[in-house]
Amino acid sequence: MNTADLGRRVGVPSTALFTDQYELTMVQAALQAGTADRHSVFEAFTRRLPEGRRYGVVAGTGRVLDAVENFHFDDEMIGFLRQQEIVDEPTLEWLADYRFSGDIWGYPEGEVYFPGSPILRVEGSFAECVLLETVILSILNHDSAIAAAASRMSAAAGGRRLIEMGARRTHELSAVASARAAYVGGFDATSDLAAGFRWAIPTVGTSAHAFTLLHDTERDAFRAQVDSLGRGTTLLVDTYDVTEAVRAAVEIAGPELGAVRIDSGDLLLVAHRVRQQLDELGATGTKIVVTSDLDEYAIASLAAAPVDAYGVGTQLVTGSGHPTCSMVYKLVARAGSAEPDAPLVPVAKKSLGAKSSVGGRKWAARRTDEHGVAEAEVIGTGPVPEELAERQLLVELVRGGEVVAREPLDAVRERHVAARAGLPMSAIQLSRGEPVIPTEYA
C-alpha cells in the first residue's frame, strides 16, 4: 500500500462520542474487575450478505483510520459524561488519557468480501478496543453498503459514465461519505462539493428545472446558460417539450453542445428519439445524460439506449434497498490475564439461531482456479497453508496506534475494479443468488 497521505486533511471534531453508552460502562466494569488490560482481538465481519447479493465491497477503511486517530475525549466531553453520571470518576480519568495504541489489520479498501470474512481485526487491550465498536461499524456498514450498490450499478453501466447526485436524499454528512463510497464502487463524479473538497472526487453540475422556469422562455434560459458556462455545458431538455428543447439547444449552442439531460418520461424511448434528432441537427458529438430515480436494474434496462451517462441519487445513497451490510464487531480471542506474555484464548458467542460466531484470531485468503478466477474464500485460525500464503487478504493498517496504510482514493477505486474482475462472471448478474464463491473454514 502507498502510505502517503494524499487526501485533504480537513479538521474534524473528536469521534469519541460516536459511541454507545454500554461501551463505556463495560470499560468501567472491566477496570474495576482488573480485566480491562487483557490483550484482546476483535473482528468486524458479516454473517451473511444482503439478500440476493453475490459479493460485498469493503469501503470506509480510510474513514475508519481517520476516526481512530480522532478518537479522544476532550474536557467538554468528560464534563458531559460526569454531569450525566455515565461512568465513575476513575473511568473518567482513564478516558481523559485515551488514545488507541493497538494494531489494526483488515481487507484493503476496495476489496470484495463474503460471509465470515474478517474485514477488520482490532488488537489491543480490551478497554481500548471495545470503545471503537460503534464508530467502526457505523462507517463500515454505511460505506460498504453504498459501495456495493455502486459496484452493481457500475457493472450494469458497462463503462458508461456514472454521476453520484444523492446529496438531497440523505443526511448532509452521509452525503459526503456516500459520494466517497460511490467513487470506490465505480462512479466517476459527484454533484456534492463537500465530497469534492474533502476527497478530491471530480464534481459536476449545471442547472435544474428551476433555472428554466426562472426565465420567460426556455430559449432565454438556454442562452443564459451557454453564455455563462460555454457551449460544452449540459442543457436540461425535459421542462416542457423535449423535441422543441433539443432543437432550441442546438440552435443556441451549435453542434458543439456538450450534452443534454433527460430527467423524466420513458427514458429508453426518449433517449433514442433525442439521439436521432441530435444527429439530424448535426450535433453528433453531443452526449445524452439520463437521471430520474435510477437503480442498477433501470441502468441495465437502458443498455441498448444511446445513453452516455447516468445520474443516480436516491437508490445509490440508500444502498439500493440494502442500506447496511449487517456487519458486527465481536471479541474472538483474549488473554487469560493482563500479563504481557499471557497466551490468547479463542472465545465465541454460542447462541441459537444464526447469531453464533467463530473464535480465534483469523487469517483470510482467496483460492483461485488455474485461470486466476476466485473459487473460495478460505478463513482459518491456525497456520496458513503454503499454497495460500501468497493469497492472504489482510494488510496492516495501524501499528502501535499509528496509521501505516493511507492511500489515495484512486488506488482504492482501481483495486475494486481488479477485485471484481477476479470473481466468476456470475458475480455481476443482477438476478438474485447466493454469494458467488463459498466461504470455507480451514
Side-chain angles (χ1 to χ4, degrees):
M1 276 190 178
N2 184 344
T3 58
D5 177 10
L6 301 181
R8 185 184 294 275
R9 304 296 290 157
V10 177
V12 295
S14 167
T15 55
L17 291 186
F18 295 160
T19 308
D20 287 311
Q21 180 170 311
Y22 80 161
E23 290 159 16
L24 273 65
T25 54
M26 281 192 284
V27 169
Q28 175 178 307
L31 288 170
Q32 291 181 0
T35 53
D37 290 332
R38 288 187 176 186
H39 187 79
S40 299
V41 181
F42 285 80
E43 289 175 353
F45 62 94
T46 185
R47 297 184 175 96
R48 67 192 65 84
L49 297 179
E51 182 181 359
R53 296 289 167 88
R54 305 294 183 92
Y55 62 93
V57 180
V58 178
T61 308
R63 296 209 306 120
V64 166
L65 298 180
D66 289 344
V68 170
E69 274 193 336
N70 286 287
F71 199 101
H72 56 85
F73 295 84
D74 60 28
D75 292 342
E76 188 174 6
M77 291 177 178
I78 295 295
F80 163 75
L81 296 174
R82 179 179 290 114
Q83 180 185 35
Q84 297 299 315
E85 299 181 348
I86 304 297
V87 290
D88 61 18
E89 201 62 33
T91 306
L92 291 176
E93 293 177 6
W94 185 91
L95 293 174
D97 293 330
Y98 178 87
R99 292 292 188 279
F100 180 73
S101 63
D103 303 325
I104 299 178
W105 288 68
Y107 279 38
E109 190 166 14
E111 183 57 83
V112 296
Y113 69 88
F114 298 91
S117 297
I119 296 165
L120 203 71
R121 188 177 75 212
V122 183
E123 296 195 38
S125 72
F126 173 83
E128 67 177 335
C129 294
V130 77
L131 283 180
L132 299 176
E133 175 182 5
T134 298
V135 70
I136 285 175
L137 288 181
S138 65
I139 293 172
L140 290 181
N141 268 314
H142 174 271
D143 288 24
S144 296
I146 305 306
S151 179
R152 286 162 60 85
M153 294 174 188
S154 174
R160 294 174 177 177
R161 186 172 172 80
L162 286 164
I163 303 165
E164 184 280 316
M165 47 193 303
R168 288 167 290 174
R169 297 293 187 265
T170 188
H171 185 279
E172 65 272 18
L173 298 181
S174 296
V176 184
S178 294
R180 183 186 184 281
Y183 193 67
V184 170
F187 273 59
D188 301 285
T190 178
S191 65
D192 189 85
L193 289 177
F197 175 78
R198 176 67 181 88
W199 302 110
I201 300 170
T203 60
V204 296
T206 50
S207 67
H209 292 102
F211 188 75
T212 300
L213 296 171
L214 168 69
H215 293 81
D216 295 336
T217 69
E218 191 170 49
R219 284 178 173 272
D220 289 343
F222 288 173
R223 188 172 293 105
Q225 184 174 328
V226 170
D227 288 347
S228 176
L229 302 179
R231 297 176 184 274
T233 191
T234 299
L235 295 175
L236 182 58
V237 295
D238 72 330
T239 305
Y240 304 118
D241 180 88
V242 173
T243 301
E244 289 300 319
V246 170
R247 181 179 296 109
V250 176
E251 288 179 1
I252 292 167
E256 299 85 8
L257 175 63
V260 296
R261 178 162 74 95
I262 307 166
D263 188 52
S264 58
D266 183 336
L267 297 178
L268 178 62
L269 176 62
V270 175
H272 277 288
R273 289 177 175 174
V274 168
R275 180 73 271 158
Q276 180 179 353
Q277 185 181 9
L278 287 170
D279 291 346
E280 290 173 350
L281 292 171
T284 56
T286 299
K287 299 184 183 301
I288 296 176
V289 180
V290 297
T291 53
S292 185
D293 290 328
L294 299 177
D295 62 9
E296 60 266 49
Y297 301 102
I299 291 171
S301 73
L302 292 168
V307 172
D308 299 286
Y310 306 93
V312 190
T314 303
Q315 291 301 317
L316 177 61
V317 299
T318 57
S320 194
H322 296 291
T324 178
C325 302
S326 299
M327 291 184 195
V328 294
Y329 183 86
K330 297 298 181 183
L331 180 67
V332 297
R334 51 86 175 167
S337 72
E339 295 299 319
D341 58 350
L344 286 174
V345 179
V347 295
K349 177 180 178 179
K350 302 296 182 183
S351 63
L352 299 176
K355 297 190 71 174
S356 62
S357 56
V358 178
R361 179 203 277 136
K362 298 175 192 65
W363 53 263
R366 190 161 299 145
R367 190 173 69 241
T368 60
D369 63 18
E370 64 273 19
H371 303 292
V373 178
E375 60 180 14
E377 193 88 338
V378 185
I379 299 169
T381 57
V384 181
E386 184 177 348
E387 66 273 16
L388 295 176
E390 300 300 317
R391 299 189 180 280
Q392 294 190 71
L393 293 164
L394 277 75
V395 298
E396 190 177 25
L397 301 172
V398 176
R399 182 192 310 132
E402 297 295 326
V403 174
V404 296
R406 279 204 174 85
E407 57 185 342
L409 199 55
D410 282 338
V412 174
R413 174 183 167 87
E414 291 168 6
R415 178 181 295 115
H416 177 62
V417 172
R420 190 177 66 189
L423 297 176
M425 292 186 65
S426 57
I428 61 174
Q429 292 178 347
L430 296 182
S431 57
R432 293 184 178 275
E434 297 300 314
V436 71
I437 61 173
T439 300
E440 299 177 357
Y441 289 91

